[in-house]
């Protein structure tokens, strides 16, 4: 999560086309949310994390969401993600302690064009399928999992971690009211609880979090101060695949990716859904055809990606 010392990375607004310059950074790729907060009105209510508290919603729930299609990109992180570059100054605290469980392969973080695939709302029945697709393509991804879904899925989480993927946190409840209606305390307590559970499963405490529905507009300056004090880092995104809204039209997920991907470094928001599993091979193939290499989050290469452009997170 956020290092108390804060990251030295600079956040580049996802709205700036000049983000391509971020590729020169030695740190993790800068990211931009699927729909920039300023460009996409869908950011008003939340992000593509939309599955709210029931992150393992069935296809019927997804069909209901589909009716909203592009009308409610909430979960995708309201605004286009801000892009941050790490300037070779990895945070010093435990948030950047990658030595405990380094990924098994060295992802090409120094490539000219890099993309971070991220998957929210697991673990669940699709976790292992996503990991298999990643393995088949020789790439890694970053997962933001919900604490309430861990019980019974510990084996899948451990395998995903051991395969070289980064396991981040997405709160215990994914409940908007519980997380945001009473200040930062409930929010931080949920992530601290999940952190302990994750450490029991994978052997090391994760520090990177993703706020359900994205950090804007619910998380203000005071709220961010408290997250920083708690030692967490927080990622939003630069590309919102809107996958949660296309339960019957997975091809539209690829269309969203094609429309939004243009920076030298991208962080793509996706979810553990059946439609995402179906289209994921095509998304990977497309990104490869555009010259992107794939990277996984590494604490010792942290860079900021949050809508508030807060360098500390």
């Amino acid at each position: 999560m956020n290092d108390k010392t804060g990251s030295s990375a600079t956040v580049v607004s996802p709205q700036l086309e000049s983000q391509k310059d971020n590729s020169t950074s030695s740190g993790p790729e800068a990211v931009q949310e699927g729909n920039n907060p300023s460009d996409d009105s869908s950011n008003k209510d939340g992000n593509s994390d939309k599955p709210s508290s029931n992150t393992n919603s069935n296809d019927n729930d997804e069909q209901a969401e589909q009716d909203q299609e592009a009308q409610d990109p909430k979960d995708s992180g309201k605004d286009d993600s801000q892009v941050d570059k790490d300037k070779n100054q990895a945070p010093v605290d435990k948030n950047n302690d990658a030595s405990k469980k380094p990924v098994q392969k060295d992802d090409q973080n120094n490539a000219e064009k890099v993309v971070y695939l991220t998957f929210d709302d697991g673990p669940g029945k699709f976790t292992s399928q996503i990991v298999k697709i990643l393995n088949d393509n020789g790439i890694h991804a970053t997962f933001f999992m919900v604490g309430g879904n861990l019980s019974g899925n510990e084996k899948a989480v451990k395998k995903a971690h051991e395969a070289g993927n980064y396991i981040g946190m997405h709160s215990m409840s994914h409940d908007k009211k519980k997380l945001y209606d009473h200040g930062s305390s409930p929010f931080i307590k949920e992530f601290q609880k999940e952190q302990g559970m994750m450490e029991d499963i994978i052997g090391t405490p994760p520090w990177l979090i993703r706020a359900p529905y994205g950090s804007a507009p619910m998380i203000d300056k005071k709220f961010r101060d408290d997250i920083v004090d708690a030692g967490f880092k927080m990622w939003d995104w630069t590309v919102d695949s809107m996958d949660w809204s296309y339960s019957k039209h997975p091809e539209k997920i690829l269309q969203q990716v094609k429309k939004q991907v243009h920076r030298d470094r991208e962080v793509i928001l996706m979810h553990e859904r059946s439609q995402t599993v179906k289209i994921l091979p095509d998304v990977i193939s497309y990104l490869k055809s555009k010259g992107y290499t794939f990277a996984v989050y590494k604490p010792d290469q942290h860079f900021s990606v949050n809508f508030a452009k807060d360098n500390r997170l």
Side-chain angles (χ1 to χ4, degrees):
M1 312 292 191
N2 299 340
D3 284 349
K4 294 183 179 179
T5 57
S7 168
S8 61
T10 355
V11 181
V12 180
S13 170
Q15 301 172 359
L16 299 180
E17 294 295 334
S18 62
Q19 286 177 329
K20 294 184 177 181
D21 294 338
N22 292 334
S23 61
T24 61
S25 165
S26 61
E29 298 61 355
V31 287
Q32 162 193 12
E33 295 237 8
N35 297 323
N36 292 333
S38 60
D39 294 353
D40 191 346
S41 60
S42 65
N43 291 327
K44 295 180 180 179
D45 296 331
N47 305 304
S48 336
D49 293 340
K50 179 159 191 173
S52 75
S53 60
N54 183 3
T55 57
N56 285 326
S57 60
N58 56 27
D59 288 340
N60 290 332
D61 294 330
E62 294 175 345
Q63 182 172 2
E65 291 174 331
Q66 176 195 8
D67 295 336
Q68 301 176 25
E69 297 251 352
Q71 297 176 3
D72 186 10
K74 290 184 175 183
D75 291 320
S76 59
K78 297 187 168 187
D79 301 319
D80 288 0
S81 64
Q82 292 107 352
V83 206
D84 284 350
K85 303 191 294 182
D86 230 302
K87 297 184 177 178
N88 276 333
Q89 293 181 337
V92 184
D93 65 11
K94 48 190 174 182
N95 204 1
N96 294 309
D97 185 3
S99 61
K100 294 181 180 178
K101 277 252 181 180
V103 291
Q104 296 174 348
K105 302 183 209 174
D106 290 327
D107 294 79
Q108 304 180 44
N109 291 350
N110 294 321
E112 184 177 351
K113 296 175 66 176
V114 184
V115 62
Y116 288 81
L117 296 179
T118 68
F119 298 91
D120 288 9
D121 298 349
K125 61 182 180 180
F126 301 116
T127 305
S128 295
Q129 295 178 49
I130 292 173
V131 171
K132 182 180 185 303
I133 294 172
L134 297 173
N135 288 343
D136 289 345
N137 283 274
I139 64 177
H140 295 131
T142 302
F143 289 79
F144 290 97
M145 296 184 172
V146 176
N149 295 337
L150 294 176
S151 180
N153 291 304
E154 294 89 347
K155 186 175 180 180
V157 175
K158 188 173 182 180
K159 283 188 174 181
H161 171 69
E162 292 176 344
N165 302 290
Y166 184 86
I167 310 299
M169 300 181 290
H170 202 37
S171 81
M172 284 296 300
S173 68
H174 203 291
D175 186 301
K176 184 181 289 186
K177 290 185 177 180
K178 290 181 179 179
L179 292 167
Y180 303 114
D181 285 3
H182 304 287
S184 64
S185 181
F187 179 96
I188 291 172
K189 286 180 179 178
E190 283 205 19
F191 280 102
Q192 289 173 332
K193 180 178 181 180
E194 183 180 12
Q195 185 181 52
M197 295 172 67
M198 282 293 193
E199 183 173 14
D200 289 341
I201 297 172
I202 64 176
T204 184
W207 291 93
L208 184 67
I209 70 174
R210 173 168 281 164
Y213 306 98
S215 65
M218 290 80 72
I219 297 180
D220 59 16
K221 172 63 165 56
K222 175 58 170 62
F223 206 124
R224 294 196 305 275
D225 291 344
D226 294 338
I227 295 175
V228 170
D229 288 342
F232 293 117
K233 294 293 183 184
M234 182 177 69
W235 261 18
D236 284 311
W237 55 88
T238 62
V239 172
D240 179 7
S241 71
M242 299 287 291
D243 58 345
W244 58 269
S245 67
Y246 299 128
S247 61
K248 290 188 175 181
H249 298 282
E251 72 281 358
K252 291 187 178 181
I253 299 171
L254 179 58
Q255 291 173 15
Q256 287 290 341
V257 171
K258 288 182 176 180
K259 285 194 300 182
Q260 298 177 47
V261 167
H262 64 274
R263 306 162 192 84
D264 286 346
R265 291 183 297 183
E266 301 281 16
V267 172
I268 300 179
L269 170 64
M270 306 183 86
H271 297 80
E272 295 196 25
R273 298 293 187 92
S274 60
Q275 62 266 29
T276 306
V277 171
K278 291 176 183 177
I279 201 65
L280 182 55
D282 292 335
V283 170
I284 294 172
S285 178
Y286 170 76
L287 292 169
K288 286 183 176 180
S289 74
K290 302 303 290 184
Y292 283 93
T293 56
F294 297 78
V296 62
Y297 176 79
K298 295 181 179 179
D300 62 347
Q301 297 179 358
H302 178 79
F303 59 100
S304 299
V305 183
N306 62 85
F307 302 141
K309 304 177 186 178
D310 191 328
N311 298 338
R312 303 169 301 166
L313 296 174

